[in-house]
Amino acid sequence: MGVAECGPTAAGTGERYPPNWLGEKAKGIAMRFTERKGATAPLTPTSIARAIAREAAREALRFGRAAAALTAAASLSFALSPVPARADEISDLREMVKQLEARISALEAERAPPKAPVIAPAAPDAPVAAAVPAPAPESSEFPYVPAATMKADEEASPRVDNVVIDPKMKGFFRIPGTDTTMKVGGYAKVDFIYDTKPIGTFDYFVTSAIPTSGTDTGRGSQFTVHAKQTRLNLDLRSDTDWGPARIFFEADWYGDASYGFSSGGYRFRLRHAYGQVRNFAAGYSFSAFMDNDALPDTLDFEGPGSAAYLTLAGARYTWKVGTNANLSLAAEAPNADVTVPVGGGRSTLPDVTMRARCEADCGHLQLSGVWRKLGWRSGEGPGDQTNGYGINLAGSLKTVGDDYVVVGGIWGKGIARYVNDVTGSGLDAVVDPDGNLQALEEYGGYVGYTHYWSPKLRSTAVVNYLGMSNKSWQAGSSFSNSQYYSANLIWNPAGSFNVGLELLYGRYRTYDGLSANDTRIQASVQYDFVRWPVSLTGDRPGCGAVQNGPPRSVPVRGGSATMRIMMADPSGDAQPGFRGARPCRTDIRHPTGVTRWPTP
């Protein structure tokens, strides 16, 4: 078959060209070249062949082997030319044809679609092998995930390895041009408060502010509306060569809280400003002595009087011990809160706090201790110093469904600064008649229970007691003991919207034996800017009895993760082998932390 009798096919289209296509193509190229160059340059077979070669390169991008036929046209035009060719021109033409054919082959290889890999059929129920990093060590337990509360302090607290308690990182977005993610959070809250009897703090329930004597006892009832608890925060996270890094800022408007029957005002107040790289944190945040994960879910800003609660400047380092335990050591800003006849308190060393913490799927337990150096300077003599020390044992435990209980117990000498009801009262220590500084003993505890009536409706009840061992030379109006009781009902109609009603009762007794009480009714409306799910399993009604599913290794960034699907039987009875069960919750152990969320 001659060249003029075949019609090339365009690559990938199936379109065929006319039988005399090649000859016409060569003649057309020669005519165009003659019109452009004939007037100024001599025409030779080599120059015409070069023009045909350039055209072939362009055509090769549109169709495959048809371009190779154009190279034959170069030889054809040479053979038909009446002008005799020189030997060097023939040699050049042959070399050009070889180069063009090599180029066409390369272009066709680039345009060819990749061949689909041949996959052998897998046997039924056979696991699919994948090239993944070595699996993380398996464990029958997963670290504790704190319950979400109205105050959202669980989101602000420094965590081991900077773990994010919301696995979906709701509200985070990447800052353009960087590897940093950021979330703007907080909430707007308004409180409507009615006190049946006098209390010196209108916007938070401090039982030690209930007057037991004097003219203030006749002040009567009080109604207050305020929004000082409204908060704004900024959470920035990034991966560094040293590990996950975090910077967290938070502030509210409690800088001028009511006290001594003064309503105060709205002054911006710093609550948190700290940075953390892996397990080293420094800045302004919660004291390592307190356990904010063990605080009950109250509408009242104060909470139980015996709870350890303090924000201050400091630095801490945490060591991981095993899978679910850690130890922390911190140096924190000191402040000797003492009662002296003249002069004032002084601090010569930082407060040193230590804590041991164990976390599990069912809850957590934390034991912390603090050592302090307390002193006073009279201005007329050398003054005196003494040691302060104490322990705080707190934790949480899941009970039935989403219900959980929180407990806390505290004891110490010279640690009033760290205790909710007596902080700032000058009760770390007192000066005796001989001028010696004596640390005061505090002790107390609380229990809080949260019950979910439904995934959207919950209640928390709290019982609390705080006592102090008084010195004989203390004033009769000094703190002796206090009691705090509360019960609430919180409705969460939408993810970011909460309304609640709370009843509080407090009783306060002074060293001289006088006592007084107050009953408060508080209604709150709160809208969170960004909110992670309050309930881990409540979003799946009827989870019933839950069993651990088999662990699976899955590849993730930074290593491998162990995934375990929690199976539940809607009837409430776990079935052997998970017969009739369905996924209820997914737990994932990541090399840098553990996350979980309801399985959709």
Side-chain angles (χ1 to χ4, degrees):
M1 182 182 294
V3 173
E5 298 175 358
C6 69
T9 302
T13 64
E15 178 186 358
R16 299 192 62 85
Y17 291 85
N20 197 30
W21 170 82
L22 183 57
E24 296 298 329
K25 191 75 174 177
K27 292 179 181 179
I29 294 173
M31 292 178 63
R32 290 196 301 272
F33 185 80
T34 302
E35 291 175 358
R36 290 198 309 269
K37 296 292 185 177
T40 58
L43 300 177
T44 65
T46 301
S47 61
I48 297 175
R50 285 175 178 169
I52 297 174
R54 287 193 295 270
E55 182 73 13
R58 288 192 293 268
E59 292 293 330
L61 297 177
R62 293 175 46 225
F63 43 83
R65 284 293 176 183
L70 286 177
T71 63
S75 301
L76 178 63
S77 64
F78 173 76
L80 296 178
S81 174
V83 182
R86 298 190 307 270
D88 57 342
E89 289 179 337
I90 296 174
S91 177
D92 291 345
L93 180 60
R94 289 174 178 172
E95 182 64 25
M96 185 184 306
V97 170
K98 291 180 181 179
Q99 294 177 2
L100 182 59
E101 287 179 335
R103 175 58 179 163
I104 291 172
S105 298
L107 289 173
E108 287 185 337
E110 292 177 4
R111 293 171 57 89
K115 294 182 179 180
V118 178
I119 302 176
D125 300 328
V128 179
V132 299
E138 295 181 4
S139 172
S140 60
E141 294 182 337
F142 287 88
Y144 168 72
V145 174
T149 63
M150 290 285 284
K151 297 185 181 72
D153 284 340
E154 64 278 356
E155 299 182 44
S157 178
R159 300 282 172 186
V160 175
D161 287 335
N162 272 322
V163 170
V164 183
I165 60 176
D166 176 12
K168 297 182 179 179
M169 295 189 73
K170 186 177 180 181
F172 280 90
F173 61 92
R174 187 173 299 278
I175 299 176
T178 73
D179 292 330
T180 301
T181 57
M182 181 175 69
K183 181 182 78 170
V184 179
Y187 55 80
K189 183 186 179 189
V190 60
D191 295 321
F192 301 85
I193 297 172
Y194 175 72
D195 289 296
T196 60
K197 294 181 180 180
I199 185 170
T201 52
F202 302 152
D203 41 35
Y204 54 117
F205 198 61
V206 181
T207 52
S208 61
I210 300 174
T212 60
S213 61
T215 57
D216 288 337
T217 58
R219 286 180 174 266
S221 60
Q222 171 75 25
F223 185 81
T224 304
V225 180
H226 76 96
K228 296 178 183 178
Q229 194 176 328
T230 296
R231 297 180 185 175
L232 290 173
N233 59 52
L234 184 65
D235 196 347
L236 296 99
R237 295 175 181 267
S238 180
D239 290 331
T240 70
D241 293 338
W242 294 347
R246 182 191 191 193
I247 297 178
F248 186 79
F249 298 93
E250 185 175 76
D252 62 16
W253 277 263
Y254 257 114
D256 189 18
S258 64
Y259 191 79
F261 295 95
S262 172
S263 60
Y266 288 82
R267 183 181 300 168
F268 205 56
R269 180 186 69 160
L270 181 68
R271 285 180 51 82
H272 297 276
Y274 70 88
Q276 180 178 347
V277 178
R278 190 167 287 279
N279 290 316
F280 177 76
Y284 191 89
S285 187
F286 293 129
S287 167
F289 183 65
M290 63 176 284
D291 184 356
N292 61 288
D293 288 344
L295 297 177
D297 188 16
T298 62
L299 300 179
D300 170 41
F301 180 76
E302 180 72 1
S306 65
Y309 194 99
L310 186 64
T311 55
L312 41 60
R316 75 174 73 169
Y317 188 82
T318 301
W319 293 268
K320 291 191 292 186
V321 182
T323 304
N324 301 336
N326 59 79
L327 299 172
S328 297
L329 177 66
E332 300 179 342
N335 182 24
D337 190 12
V338 300
T339 299
V340 298
V342 63
R346 68 187 182 103
S347 303
T348 57
L349 290 172
D351 291 357
V352 178
T353 59
M354 298 151 285
R355 78 176 188 189
R357 182 179 175 98
C358 181
E359 301 174 337
D361 182 61
C362 60
H364 82 287
L365 184 66
Q366 177 177 304
L367 175 64
S368 54
V370 61
W371 175 84
R372 314 178 64 200
K373 195 67 175 179
L374 305 173
W376 77 286
R377 182 182 293 109
S378 67
E380 300 176 358
D384 192 25
Q385 290 186 340
T386 190
N387 293 316
Y389 46 86
I391 59 173
N392 179 42
L393 180 63
S396 65
L397 179 67
K398 296 179 183 178
T399 57
V400 180
D402 282 336
D403 291 9
Y404 64 93
V405 60
V406 293
V407 296
I410 195 167
W411 174 89
K413 291 185 176 182
I415 63 168
R417 180 194 183 205
Y418 288 84
V419 183
N420 233 1
D421 215 10
V422 290
T423 183
S425 301
L427 295 176
D428 280 342
V430 295
V431 177
D432 65 18
D434 296 328
N436 300 315
L437 190 63
Q438 300 283 342
L440 295 174
E441 181 184 23
E442 298 90 9
Y443 52 89
Y446 66 88
V447 177
Y449 190 88
T450 297
H451 172 66
Y452 277 82
W453 305 99
S454 73
K456 298 292 185 180
L457 192 67
R458 68 186 190 272
S459 293
T460 299
V462 181
V463 177
N464 167 87
Y465 177 84
L466 175 65
M468 178 173 287
S469 298
N470 297 106
K471 302 296 185 180
S472 60
W473 60 85
Q474 283 187 262
S477 59
S478 299
F479 180 97
S480 176
N481 63 73
S482 66
Q483 301 170 50
Y484 176 104
Y485 306 93
S486 70
N488 63 38
L489 183 66
I490 301 174
W491 181 39
N492 174 227
S496 296
F497 183 66
N498 291 275
V499 294
L501 184 66
E502 188 166 73
L503 178 66
L504 301 107
Y505 175 82
R507 176 172 287 274
Y508 173 51
R509 182 183 178 91
T510 54
Y511 179 46
D512 56 15
L514 298 177
S515 64
N517 63 81
D518 178 34
T519 300
R520 169 175 289 187
I521 301 173
Q522 177 172 333
S524 300
V525 179
Q526 179 173 317
Y527 182 83
D528 297 86
F529 304 144
V530 178
R531 190 64 164 175
W532 66 290
V534 173
S535 171
L536 294 176
T537 59
D539 292 336
R540 300 281 296 182
C543 272
V546 176
Q547 289 187 2
N548 286 332
R552 301 178 183 177
S553 180
V554 294
V556 295
R557 181 181 179 184
S560 64
T562 300
M563 178 177 70
R564 191 184 300 271
I565 299 179
M566 313 298 289
M567 306 298 292
D569 176 24
S571 66
D573 297 323
Q575 301 295 320
F578 306 107
R579 291 194 302 272
R582 59 177 172 77
C584 181
R585 189 179 74 224
T586 301
D587 292 346
I588 291 186
R589 180 185 300 283
H590 188 276
T592 59
V594 175
T595 58
R596 62 171 48 122
W597 60 90
T599 300

